[in-house]
């Protein structure tokens, strides 16, 4: 505990306390000096506890001796009745009436203590511990702008305010088994042995239809399903499970129900990359519309393969050529035009071209060489999930790798379960589901979120433990995001051979003219080290959608003469997405160029960490001169760099050759302590010289 903390507790100024400490034979150099537990106890015994103990929180880690002797801090000089001698683990019974009005704490209510093991407390329990009706507490919380139900948890800070009004103190429970400041439980990671290339076998592609509303996504999916079922596939009526498999020429394709574009990207941003191929559906009659462009952007940002189905070719006004021309303008040049994009004219109504589309999907999949290891424990993502009466939580899961089997223990998001049954898209119970297969899975203990990741683990126990740890970590707000945006720092520090060799930019500008000019200028940058991609560009302010897309594609957002919508900065911070604003095209392009070329020299930052005064000089025959010093402020470490100053003037600059304290090598010596310092290459010390210890950090320059 530090001097100033104890001073505050004792209602003294730091200076006063320091004087008293000196009188007690505990000299300290300054108000930030640390006191040992014993010293704190000694001082408390002598100087007494706070005058109004009820208004203070005792932090067990600072004040309390470890349990079982855990008790409220001593209040020796309190004129009030003493607290109850026994403190039960949950709440302290009070010797005062349960309801004590505001201000009564100072008017003489006894110190009453509530223990809580966590930095949050459930309203119901809290009310019970204080002997207050929960609805009274809820009403009070509302007045504090905290809207909580009886089962909600409230923050300890809020609880403290309510407790203090009633003359309670809250103490964080001290668990003897753990060290006082043990880090909170980290969500356990599941370690799987590394995958060997020879385990990998081809797997079916996972496909999503995207595009403008009413251009025929649903109809196309229905047509594909009906045709395949009508052709005599096993099973009967297709079930709605959010994903469907069809077989074409003995090869399978999995279709995932069209999610909204934002949902698609949100899942992707969380790391749930369900889809391999996005088929952009465009009406041959209406052509490319706003949501078509949006779909293209989202698919690009997700980095999935893009194909195009030009639908409704049965209509008299269908104009396939026009759509192809427009696709070219959108940067999706059709193969027919010498481009890379597979474009298939189809009619969901007549079925024309649908088989060709399926064959082309298989061809695209072949090019992508999609592979997985079917003999491994399964892992994948939740496509959709809900609670069904009589069946419990039902989740449609897409297996990305391995094979899922009935009886497997799995962790799914924060939940867990043992697979009771697997049901495919035709309502047939199956025992296993291999890579790219989507099945309904029964047996989870709760409904997971769409996009949640699942992994099979060794046993039910392990699954439950991991789930519990994750829930705990989430409750404490410490679960790491599965993925965060890429910053320039990542780019510059990417190890050789790593895949962060791409600078992805989301570009937003004020007008079309500047957009074109900047894109043109960026496209002219040549770099051997980094490729530049602009997965999303457009005119207008930076929106939440841009942040989401930037995260999904690991992009940095460059805004030119634009601002950010409300809430964008916060979201960007949360998602780890970097936003940079420019008003001069040259600067924007120059930043991108320097980043790509990796030319940014790291900034060298120097931080002075301590000042030492040379008190005595010792000449050692063999090892040179040692300066006997006292650390006047800060600290010095054996790895510090140092400057020797005499009357302010720098005599020498170098590194510490050795740092010793009481004959022993020391790694660090702190304020108020004495030490012996040898400086590499310097021996002309004189008493009164000052040694300045500093550290040098190399920081990669931000754009
Ligand atoms: P979605 O919003 O993209 O899922 O579009 P839908 O599949 O719901 O289709 C919208 C409308 O277009 C419906 O009335 C369909 O019957 C019609 N439609 C879809 N595909 C075709 C097609 O190939 N030809 C014709 N003539 N109409 C179609």
């Amino acid at each position: 505990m530090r001097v100033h903390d104890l001073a505050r507790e004792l209602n003294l100024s730091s200076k006063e306390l320091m004087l008293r400490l000196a009188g007690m034979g505990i000299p300290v150099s300054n108000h930030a000096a640390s006191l040992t537990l014993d010293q704190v106890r000694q001082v408390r015994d002598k100087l007494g506890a706070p005058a109004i103990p009820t208004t203070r929180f005792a932090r067990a880690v600072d004040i309390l001796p470890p349990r079982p002797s855990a008790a409220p801090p001593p209040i020796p000089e309190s004129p009030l009745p003493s607290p109850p001698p026994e403190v039960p683990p949950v709440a302290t019974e009070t010797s005062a009436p349960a309801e004590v009005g505001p201000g009564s704490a100072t008017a003489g209510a006894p110190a009453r203590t509530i223990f809580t093991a966590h930095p949050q407390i459930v309203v119901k329990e809290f009310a019970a511990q204080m002997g207050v009706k929960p609805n009274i507490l809820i009403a009070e919380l509302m007045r504090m702008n905290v809207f909580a139900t009886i089962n909600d948890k409230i923050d300890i800070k809020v609880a403290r305010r309510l407790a203090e009004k009633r003359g309670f103190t809250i103490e964080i429970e001290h668990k003897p088994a753990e060290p006082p400041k043990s880090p909170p439980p980290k969500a356990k990671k599941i370690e799987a042995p590394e995958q060997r290339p020879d385990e990998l076998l081809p797997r079916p592609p996972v496909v999503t239809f995207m595009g403008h509303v009413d251009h025929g996504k649903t109809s196309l999916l229905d047509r594909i399903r009906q045709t395949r079922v009508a052709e005599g596939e096993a099973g009967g009526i297709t079930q709605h499970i959010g994903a469907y498999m069809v077989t074409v020429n003995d090869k399978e394709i999995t279709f995932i129900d069209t999610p909204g574009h934002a949902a698609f990207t949100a899942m992707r941003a969380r790391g749930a990359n369900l889809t391999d191929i996005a088929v952009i559906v465009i009406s041959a009659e209406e052509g490319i519309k706003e949501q078509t462009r949006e779909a293209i952007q989202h698919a690009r940002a997700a980095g999935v393969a893009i194909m195009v189905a030009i639908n409704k070719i049965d209509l008299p006004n269908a104009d396939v050529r026009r759509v192809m021309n427009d696709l070219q303008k959108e940067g999706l040049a059709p193969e027919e035009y010498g481009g890379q994009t597979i474009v298939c004219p189809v009619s969901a109504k007549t079925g024309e071209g649908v088989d060709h589309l399926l064959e082309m999907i298989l061809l695209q999949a072949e090019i992508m060489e999609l592979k997985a290891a079917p003999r491994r424990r399964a892992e994948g993502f939740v496509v959709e999930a809900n609670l069904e009466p009589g069946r419990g939580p039902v989740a449609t899961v897409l297996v990305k790798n391995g094979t899922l089997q009935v009886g497997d223990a799995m962790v799914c998001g924060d939940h867990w379960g043992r697979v009771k049954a697997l049901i495919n898209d035709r309502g047939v119970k199956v025992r296993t589901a291999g890579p790219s297969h989507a099945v309904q899975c029964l047996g989870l203990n709760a409904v997971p979120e769409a996009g949640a990741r699942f992994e099979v683990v060794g046993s039910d126990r392990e699954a439950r433990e991991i789930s519990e740890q994750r829930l705990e970590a989430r409750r404490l707000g410490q679960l790491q995001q599965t993925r965060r945006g890429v910053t320039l720092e990542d780019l510059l520090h990417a190890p050789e051979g790593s895949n962060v060799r791409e600078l992805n930019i989301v570009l937003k500008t004020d007008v079309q003219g500047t957009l074109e000019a900047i894109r043109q200028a960026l496209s002219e940058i040549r770099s051997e080290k980094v490729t530049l991609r602009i997965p999303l560009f457009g005119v207008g302010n930076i929106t939440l959608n841009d942040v989401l897309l930037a995260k999904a594609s690991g992009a940095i957002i460059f805004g030119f003469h634009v601002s950010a919508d409300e809430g964008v900065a916060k979201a960007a911070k949360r998602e780890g997405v970097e936003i940079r604003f420019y008003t001069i095209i040259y600067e924007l392009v120059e930043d991108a160029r320097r980043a790509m070329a990796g030319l940014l020299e790291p900034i060298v930052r120097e931080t002075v960490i301590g000042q030492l005064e040379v008190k005595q000089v010792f000449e050692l025959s063999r090892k040179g001169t040692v300066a006997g010093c006292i650390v006047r402020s800060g600290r010095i470490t054996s790895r510090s760099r140092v400057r020797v100053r005499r009357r302010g003037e720098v005599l020498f600059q170098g590194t510490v050759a050795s740092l010793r304290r009481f004959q022993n090598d020391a790694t660090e010596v702190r304020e108020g302590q004495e030490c012996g310092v040898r400086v590499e290459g310097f021996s002309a010390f004189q008493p009164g010289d000052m040694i300045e210890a500093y550290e040098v950090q190399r920081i990669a320059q931000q754009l």
Side-chain angles (χ1 to χ4, degrees), residues 123 126-127 130 132-141 162 166:
V123 171
F126 184 41
M130 290 195 300
V132 184
K133 289 211 171 88
N135 56 340
I136 292 178
L137 222 52
I138 289 169
E140 266 180 58
L141 282 165
L162 292 172
R166 296 182 161 75

Side-chain angles (χ1 to χ4, degrees), residues 60-358:
V61 286
D62 282 340
I63 307 169
L64 291 180
R67 280 181 138 195
S69 55
I75 317 166
E77 278 156 38
S78 170
L80 315 170
S82 0
E86 284 290 318
V87 182
V90 179
T92 310
E93 209 17 79
T94 69
S95 55
E99 282 285 343
V100 180
S104 55
T106 46
R112 297 174 295 161
T113 313
I114 294 170
F115 273 100
T116 168
H118 301 297
Q120 285 189 317
I121 188 164
V122 179
V123 171
K124 191 160 62 177
E125 283 169 23
F126 184 41
Q129 288 186 35
M130 290 195 300
V132 184
K133 289 211 171 88
N135 56 340
I136 292 178
L137 222 52
I138 289 169
E140 266 180 58
L141 282 165
M142 275 175 159
R143 282 196 288 277
M144 291 163 73
N145 268 342
V146 178
F147 299 92
T149 67
I150 189 160
N151 290 318
D152 281 346
K153 287 172 182 153
I154 53 170
D155 193 78
I156 207 77
K157 284 189 203 135
V158 177
R160 169 160 44 182
R161 278 165 63 189
L162 292 172
E164 281 177 1
K165 268 169 89 177
R166 296 182 161 75
F168 283 92
T169 63
I170 297 184
E171 286 177 0
I172 306 287
E173 193 179 17
H174 191 93
K175 288 189 184 149
E178 288 172 46
K181 281 187 179 165
S182 69
K186 279 233 169 74
K188 196 169 163 185
K189 253 187 121 178
I190 301 165
E191 304 283 349
E194 215 168 288
Q195 200 154 277
R196 297 188 319 270
D198 61 352
E199 288 180 87
L200 295 173
L201 295 173
R203 65 168 176 86
V206 181
V207 182
T208 301
F209 285 128
M210 296 173 90
H212 197 78
V213 67
D214 279 350
H215 280 199
K217 301 178 290 290
T218 318
S219 308
L220 212 44
L221 199 53
D222 284 349
R223 161 64 69 175
I224 290 168
R225 245 163 32 205
Q226 278 163 18
T227 328
R228 293 293 131 187
V229 172
E231 275 178 14
E233 279 200 355
I237 305 148
T238 2
Q239 309 285 308
H240 173 89
I241 70 162
Y244 315 89
M245 289 204 82
V246 298
T247 309
V248 183
N249 306 337
D250 293 333
K251 288 186 179 144
E252 293 168 313
I253 305 173
T254 299
F255 287 93
I256 303 264
D257 256 358
T258 312
H261 297 158
F264 174 83
T265 297
M267 277 215 229
R268 192 85 193 183
R270 289 207 305 263
N273 44 345
L274 282 77
T275 315
D276 303 306
I277 302 170
V279 178
I280 311 287
V281 179
I282 306 170
S283 157
E285 198 182 31
E286 289 192 28
I288 293 178
K289 304 285 274 189
E290 188 196 326
Q291 284 167 25
T292 317
R293 286 198 187 87
E294 194 183 280
I296 295 170
Q297 285 176 347
H298 281 258
R300 273 199 182 125
V304 299
I306 299 177
M307 291 175 57
V308 174
I310 303 180
N311 189 31
K312 306 197 187 184
I313 54 167
D314 57 287
L315 290 176
N317 292 334
D319 189 346
V320 174
R321 282 280 141 218
R322 186 180 63 126
V323 181
M324 292 236 193
N325 288 339
D326 288 350
L327 279 170
Q328 177 122 344
K329 286 187 209 142
E330 294 296 324
L332 286 178
E335 281 186 317
E336 272 188 71
Y337 288 26
Q340 305 273 322
T341 315
I342 300 177
V343 179
C344 304
V346 293
S347 166
K349 191 172 179 187
T350 65
E352 190 186 344
V354 172
D355 282 347
H356 179 247
L357 171 67
L358 295 173

